[in-house]
């Protein structure tokens, strides 16, 4: 892998340096690389500026988070990855193809995982992201850059889904009319979000907004969970986002987000552990009203994600990175299958009466 010429020059212009670049391929948004310059190791990222339109705002958020989690009260075993300036003292560098790059420290001897091994690990995961929110809630957020406005706004996502169906830019709606109908039938879920956004008992607080096990660095030797990564979407949000994403990602027994529906199975024991872990870790920091709705977090997030994938399919795969045809459709179908199984389980346990 070679870097764009201008970036390569910038990184090596202080004499002969030995540069190795290796892609890291697990995200759907940015392009990420591990960079070795002599014996030092960094994380280099080309920011997707179609989605994150203000790279510097993003990095300023990251710098504030880094500082905040250096304190004695840091709930994690180690500090966050440190954002770094390039050798020319710039935090963002634009290459000759107008792509924006940033760099941070690379935390060595770590790996990530995407599946938990037991209910007690699921509970630990819930506690991990709850402690992120509890600690981040002490941050000054007046000047916080909102990286993606209304990111987990279900009303907005539903509107975008309806637009995508109506426009049908790539003439694909015929391939998925059943799935479209199933998702439209679930419109009553939007009312839950609407009620929340107009109600003082549902305060905004700092959420990670991509809370999954694969966004935690794990120490190679001790297997200890060290710190969260992928901090781009940290911003104020509602209670359901992080628990919902954990449920969506952990309770899905299929290996990948695009695995076929027959491989999806909802893992109820993990669901219960996430729910009780999150509820107890957040303790009095969440309101009674929020507590009551905690069990619906997974439904809201999985529904949202199914619509986001299907909208992108209908729009011609313009948002998520894809490497084959129908990948977004398969992702949407996988999420919808998980959603229906979750609904069955919640109905059977008396926590979801009807579709609202
Ligand atoms: C995107 O690329 P990744 O995995 O960090 C997306 C999340 C979705 C996820 C689905 C900024 O995150 O919201 O849950 O894909 N991030 C953005 O796999 O849209
Ligand atoms: Mg992410």
């Amino acid at each position: 892998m070679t870097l764009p010429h201008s970036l390569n020059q910038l990184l090596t212009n202080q004499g002969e340096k030995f540069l190795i670049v290796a892609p890291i391929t697990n995200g759907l948004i940015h392009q990420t690389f591990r960079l070795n310059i002599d014996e030092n190791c960094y994380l280099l990222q080309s920011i997707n500026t179609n989605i994150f339109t203000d790279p510097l705002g993003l990095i300023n958020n990251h710098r504030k988070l880094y500082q905040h989690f250096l304190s004695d009260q840091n709930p994690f075993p180690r500090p966050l990855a440190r954002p770094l300036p390039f050798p020319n003292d710039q935090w963002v560098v634009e290459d000759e193809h107008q792509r924006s790059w940033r760099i941070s420290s690379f935390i060595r001897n770590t790996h990530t995982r995407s599946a938990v091994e037991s209910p007690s690990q699921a509970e630990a995961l819930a506690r991990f992201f709850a402690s992120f929110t509890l600690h981040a809630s002490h941050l000054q957020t007046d000047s916080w850059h909102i990286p993606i406005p209304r990111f987990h706004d279900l009303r907005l996502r539903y509107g975008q889904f309806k637009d995508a169906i109506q426009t049908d830019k790539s003439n694909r709606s015929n391939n998925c009319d059943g799935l479209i109908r199933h998702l439209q039938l679930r419109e009553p879920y939007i009312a839950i979000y609407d009620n929340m956004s107009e109600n003082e008992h549902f305060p905004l607080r700092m959420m990670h907004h991509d809370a999954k096990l694969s966004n935690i660095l794990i120490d190679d030797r001790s297997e200890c969970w060290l710190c969260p990564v992928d901090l781009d979407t940290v911003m104020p949000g509602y209670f359901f986002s992080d628990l919902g994403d954990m449920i969506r990602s952990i309770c899905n027994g299929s290996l990948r987000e695009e695995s076929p529906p027959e491989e999806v199975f909802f893992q109820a024991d993990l669901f219960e552990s996430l729910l009780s872990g999150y509820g107890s870790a957040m303790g009095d920091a969440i309101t009674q009203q929020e507590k009551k709705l905690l069990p619906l977090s997974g439904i809201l997030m999985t529904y949202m994600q199914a619509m986001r994938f299907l909208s992108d399919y209908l729009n011609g795969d313009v948002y998520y990175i894809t490497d084959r045809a129908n990948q977004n459709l398969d992702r949407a179908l996988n999420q919808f299958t998980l959603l229906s199984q979750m609904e069955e389980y919640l109905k059977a346990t008396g926590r979801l009466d009807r579709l609202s």
Side-chain angles (χ1 to χ4, degrees), residues 27-29 52 148 151 210 212 230 233 248 257 305 308-309 319-320:
L28 299 186
I29 304 291
F52 295 99
I148 305 179
F151 185 47
D210 199 8
K212 43 195 180 195
D230 193 2
T233 48
R248 190 179 74 72
E257 239 170 4
Q305 195 60 53
R308 289 180 65 195
F309 282 143
Y319 188 93
Y320 294 109

Side-chain angles (χ1 to χ4, degrees), residues 113-127:
R113 287 183 194 283
S114 53
V116 297
E117 280 158 9
S118 62
S120 66
Q121 260 194 7
E123 182 163 340
L125 176 65
R127 290 182 175 281

Side-chain angles (χ1 to χ4, degrees), residues 91-129:
W91 291 92
V92 182
V93 161
E94 209 177 273
D95 68 19
E96 64 270 30
H97 312 293
Q98 284 76 50
R99 296 206 304 169
S100 297
W101 295 82
R102 67 170 162 198
I103 196 163
S104 70
S105 65
F106 183 91
I107 302 174
R108 286 168 187 254
N109 306 319
T110 58
H111 59 278
T112 56
R113 287 183 194 283
S114 53
V116 297
E117 280 158 9
S118 62
S120 66
Q121 260 194 7
E123 182 163 340
L125 176 65
R127 290 182 175 281
F128 190 95
F129 279 106

Side-chain angles (χ1 to χ4, degrees), residues 258-275:
E258 62 194 69
S259 299
E262 55 278 13
E263 290 177 20
V264 174
F265 61 97
F266 176 67
Q267 294 174 292
D269 53 343
L270 302 181
F271 171 85
E272 296 299 346
S273 303
L274 284 171
L275 189 61

Side-chain angles (χ1 to χ4, degrees), residues 208-249:
H208 182 280
H209 281 111
D210 199 8
K212 43 195 180 195
L213 180 59
S214 57
N215 276 335
I216 297 178
L217 290 186
I218 305 174
D219 188 86
D220 285 346
R221 286 233 317 248
S222 65
E223 287 291 317
C224 176
W225 295 358
L226 297 178
C227 62
V229 291
D230 193 2
L231 305 169
D232 291 339
T233 48
V234 174
M235 64 182 134
Y238 290 112
F239 75 93
F240 67 89
S241 285
D242 287 359
L243 176 61
D245 258 336
M246 286 187 268
I247 294 172
R248 190 179 74 72
S249 54

Side-chain angles (χ1 to χ4, degrees), residues 144-204:
W144 198 258
H145 164 65
I146 303 297
I148 305 179
R150 303 178 64 189
F151 185 47
H152 282 179
D153 180 331
L154 203 51
R155 167 63 59 192
L156 174 77
R157 296 303 184 184
Y158 189 67
Q160 292 173 333
F161 177 51
K162 282 208 308 205
D163 289 347
I165 300 165
Q166 185 136 42
T167 320
D168 197 12
K169 229 183 252 163
S170 310
N171 277 321
R172 290 175 168 179
S173 66
N174 281 341
N175 310 341
C176 54
D177 43 3
L179 184 53
I180 290 177
R181 231 184 1 266
H182 283 303
L183 292 176
Q184 282 177 325
L185 268 176
R186 283 157 173 81
E187 187 179 349
Y189 287 143
I190 314 292
I192 303 178
Y193 181 86
D194 288 341
N195 291 339
M196 188 182 306
S197 57
E198 289 154 10
N199 187 326
E200 59 177 315
H201 298 295
F202 294 91
L204 291 169

